[in-house]
Amino acid sequence: MSKITATILSICLLLAGGSAMAQQGSMSEPVDRAKILTAPGVFGAFSTYKIRYEYYKLSSAERKGAADEVMAVVDKHKDKVIVDAYLTRGFEAKSDYFLRVHAYDAAAAQAFLLDFRATRFGMNSGVTESLVGITKALNYITKDKSPDLNKDLTGTTYSGDAPRFAFMIPVKKGAEWWNLTDEQRLKEMETHTLPTLAYLGNVKRKLYHSTGLDDTDFITYFETNDLGAFNNLVLSLAKIPENKYNVRWGNPVVMGTIHSIAEVVNTLSVGQ
């Protein structure tokens, strides 16, 4: 083999290798769902939607195409966000479904929602509520501040059947709450947490902090397969003194059934 031929062959191999690496780099990996749902510093965007009547004037083929557009957008953003979907039609008057979008970068969640709203399904969905929060480590019931209660809180895990229902409840505190000392707020949160321990096996809970990010202070999110247990949990929370610091609780309280986004979009588009 001549030197010229060898050189040309080497260049071709390098180009081929570079092309393969570029192609491999372009194949995005989905966000690790288990990790992003447990990590602090993750943004959660909640939005509820009502389907416009005009959407159902489209042909079934057009609505099927609109549903496919949504799934293409989900696939496009799978390396930056995870999207959870819930069907609220039949439970709520003001919405038909809601989305919960998690991202390490708030701009990534926004980019997904912009692309989603640009689909025909998104364009025919009116936003009825939109909230943004961020996950944090425990502020009060920590190993240092409240060790016994922390042990009970973290030592009990959900053991019920796979949850079918989800709830989103925003909460806003008044100025009096924020002007309490840290010790006073800790005492209030211990009183808040104690009666909820009995329901940790039946109800999953997740908290998002929204102060400064939205017109509320917290977004509380729940999943359960036991609506009776959830009702009793809320009743136990209604009886605690901390409620006097709330200036908003719910409004809305959103209830939905848990589905994949494909199931929600197809159900609302073509009835599947």
Side-chain angles (χ1 to χ4, degrees):
M1 182 184 295
S2 68
K3 290 183 178 180
I4 294 176
T5 302
T7 301
I8 293 174
L9 181 60
S10 297
I11 292 173
C12 288
L13 289 172
L14 285 171
L15 290 174
S19 176
M21 290 176 64
Q23 187 176 19
Q24 184 178 3
S26 66
M27 296 174 62
S28 57
E29 292 292 329
V31 174
D32 186 325
R33 178 178 179 84
K35 183 177 179 181
I36 199 171
L37 287 179
T38 56
V42 173
F43 292 93
F46 292 76
S47 47
T48 62
Y49 301 87
K50 186 77 173 176
I51 302 291
R52 296 188 175 95
Y53 173 75
E54 289 75 16
Y55 185 59
Y56 296 104
K57 293 181 179 180
L58 300 177
S59 68
S60 59
E62 289 175 309
R63 283 181 272 120
K64 177 62 169 63
D68 291 340
E69 290 173 6
V70 173
M71 298 315 300
V73 170
V74 172
D75 186 67
K76 173 185 174 182
H77 293 271
K78 67 183 179 182
D79 62 328
K80 296 291 197 317
V81 305
I82 63 167
V83 184
D84 293 308
Y86 312 83
L87 192 64
T88 62
R89 180 178 287 184
F91 291 146
E92 304 294 337
K94 294 182 179 179
S95 68
D96 292 314
Y97 68 98
F98 83 90
L99 300 179
R100 181 177 64 145
V101 181
H102 286 96
Y104 293 105
D105 180 1
Q110 182 186 42
F112 165 79
L113 290 168
L114 285 171
D115 281 353
F116 169 74
R117 293 304 305 281
T119 66
R120 282 175 291 175
F121 184 82
M123 286 188 286
N124 281 283
S125 298
V127 178
T128 58
E129 184 68 39
S130 183
L131 296 168
V132 178
I134 187 172
T135 59
K136 292 183 177 181
L138 291 172
N139 279 342
Y140 299 104
I141 312 303
T142 66
K143 290 181 179 180
D144 295 331
K145 296 178 181 178
S146 188
D148 292 338
L149 203 51
N150 175 270
K151 183 179 179 180
D152 291 335
L153 183 64
T154 58
T156 306
T157 58
Y158 183 86
S159 58
D161 294 333
R164 292 183 296 149
F165 304 99
F167 295 85
M168 187 273 290
I169 305 175
V171 178
K172 186 173 181 62
K173 300 291 190 183
E176 187 179 358
W177 169 261
W178 297 113
N179 281 282
L180 295 175
T181 65
D182 289 345
E183 291 75 15
Q184 288 172 322
R185 282 199 299 274
L186 172 60
K187 183 178 179 181
E188 294 287 351
M189 290 308 301
E190 287 177 333
T191 304
H192 170 114
T193 302
L194 190 60
T196 71
L197 297 177
Y199 304 99
L200 295 181
N202 301 87
V203 182
K204 291 183 177 182
R205 301 184 297 168
K206 191 171 180 64
L207 181 67
Y208 301 79
H209 297 254
S210 298
T211 306
L213 301 178
D214 218 317
D215 189 27
T216 190
D217 290 312
F218 306 99
I219 305 168
T220 56
Y221 172 81
F222 304 87
E223 290 182 357
T224 188
N225 194 50
D226 188 340
L227 294 179
F230 179 74
N231 176 250
N232 289 331
L233 167 63
V234 175
L235 285 173
S236 71
L237 289 173
K239 299 174 183 178
I240 60 176
E242 181 209 350
N243 279 327
K244 65 178 179 285
Y245 299 107
N246 293 339
V247 295
R248 177 186 181 185
W249 198 98
N251 192 29
V253 171
V254 180
M255 174 183 178
T257 47
I258 302 170
H259 302 274
S260 69
I261 188 168
E263 290 171 336
V264 167
V265 174
N266 284 324
T267 296
L268 294 173
S269 296
V270 293
Q272 297 179 353

